[in-house]
Amino acid sequence: CFDRGWSDGLPVVPPTETRVYRMLQGTSRTPDEVLGLMPPNLVPCTVEKVAINAVMAGCKPEYMPVVLAAVEAALDPAFCLHGLLATTWFSGPMIIVSGPVRQRIGMNWRGNVLGQGNRANATIGRALQLLVRNVGGGRPQEADMSTFGTPAKFGFCFAEDESTPWKTLGESRGFGRDHSCVTLFSADGPLGCVDQKSRAPEGLIRSLAGSLRAVAHVDLANASDAVV
């Protein structure tokens, strides 16, 4: 797998016929269904190809609906995956999962949510990156033009903590709280943003706004969005 260029640099699970068949049991969609054209080479991405790369990433079959949703979101022209690959900036897809599926497949939305230690978080994000590499041809130093890259490009996926008074990401886009949703965001690596002094909302807002000026570049404060 290393010699054939199928790996992200880490060991992968060999996608045997039996393993791919078992992975396909995680969805009712047909293996030959085409989800879209995967950039940069615009190769048709089928459900079966998603299953193959999900096996390689270490996913369980029950993760397949989330992986498929993430792929469909990445292939939506509004996400501009080709542009994300072509940029020299150090950004990649960030997957945020909302709704009941988070608990059903055992995702993490609490301690160390952006770090290691949770199989679903780690492998769902990795599966998307492997698909970009193995189906679309988005390899570093080729179509992937990122100058420095980021460790987040191995896979960046986590679940939303819905135990707050705010709307979930799904609800803010018109879905019910009982719906499972996937949100994709073109993201850099995390940047710490902590305020231990403010005792009122106004002070907290000012300090968070000041921290946001460090996103991208201090002179480009209005050039990008941010997840706080």
Side-chain angles (χ1 to χ4, degrees):
C1 291
F2 284 114
D3 292 343
R4 291 173 181 268
W6 297 344
S7 170
D8 51 11
L10 295 172
V12 296
V13 179
T16 63
E17 185 175 345
T18 299
R19 288 177 177 141
V20 174
Y21 173 79
R22 288 174 177 168
M23 187 61 66
L24 286 168
Q25 304 315 296
T27 177
S28 60
R29 302 170 75 164
T30 58
D32 60 353
E33 179 186 347
V34 176
L35 304 178
L37 301 179
M38 181 66 74
N41 294 341
L42 301 179
V43 176
C45 182
T46 63
V47 170
E48 183 179 40
K49 289 178 181 178
V50 173
I52 290 169
N53 284 272
V55 168
M56 295 173 72
C59 291
K60 292 183 178 181
E62 52 262 42
Y63 304 170
M64 268 292 282
V66 179
V67 178
L68 288 167
V71 172
E72 289 185 304
L75 296 181
D76 189 317
F79 184 68
C80 194
L81 179 59
H82 201 155
L84 181 58
L85 282 168
T87 182
T88 56
W89 195 247
F90 50 98
S91 52
M94 180 175 75
I95 305 169
I96 308 173
V97 182
S98 310
V101 72
R102 305 169 308 131
Q103 292 179 307
R104 191 159 62 244
I105 65 175
M107 295 191 74
N108 177 26
W109 60 85
R110 295 193 177 105
N112 203 41
V113 64
L114 304 184
Q116 82 286 16
N118 181 275
R119 182 173 178 177
N121 290 33
T123 60
I124 291 169
R126 188 188 186 198
L128 176 58
Q129 290 284 12
L130 286 175
L131 280 156
V132 171
R133 177 190 187 90
N134 294 331
V135 178
R139 297 182 178 87
Q141 300 175 24
E142 295 179 19
D144 186 336
M145 299 300 295
S146 180
T147 305
F148 295 108
T150 167
K153 293 183 78 168
F154 280 103
F156 198 178
C157 173
F158 58 95
E160 181 178 6
D161 183 356
E162 298 182 0
S163 60
T164 72
W166 295 292
K167 287 184 177 180
T168 66
L169 283 170
E171 287 177 307
S172 68
R173 286 162 174 77
F175 295 94
R177 188 172 279 259
D178 58 337
H179 284 83
S180 295
C181 307
V182 168
T183 302
L184 246 64
F185 191 83
S186 297
D188 306 339
L191 177 71
C193 188
V194 179
D195 184 336
Q196 295 180 319
K197 294 183 177 180
S198 295
R199 297 294 180 268
E202 293 78 11
L204 180 61
I205 288 295
R206 280 194 297 270
S207 70
L208 292 178
S211 296
L212 287 172
R213 296 195 65 198
V215 174
H217 187 275
V218 66
D219 291 333
L220 298 174
N222 297 319
S224 61
D225 297 320
V227 176
V228 180

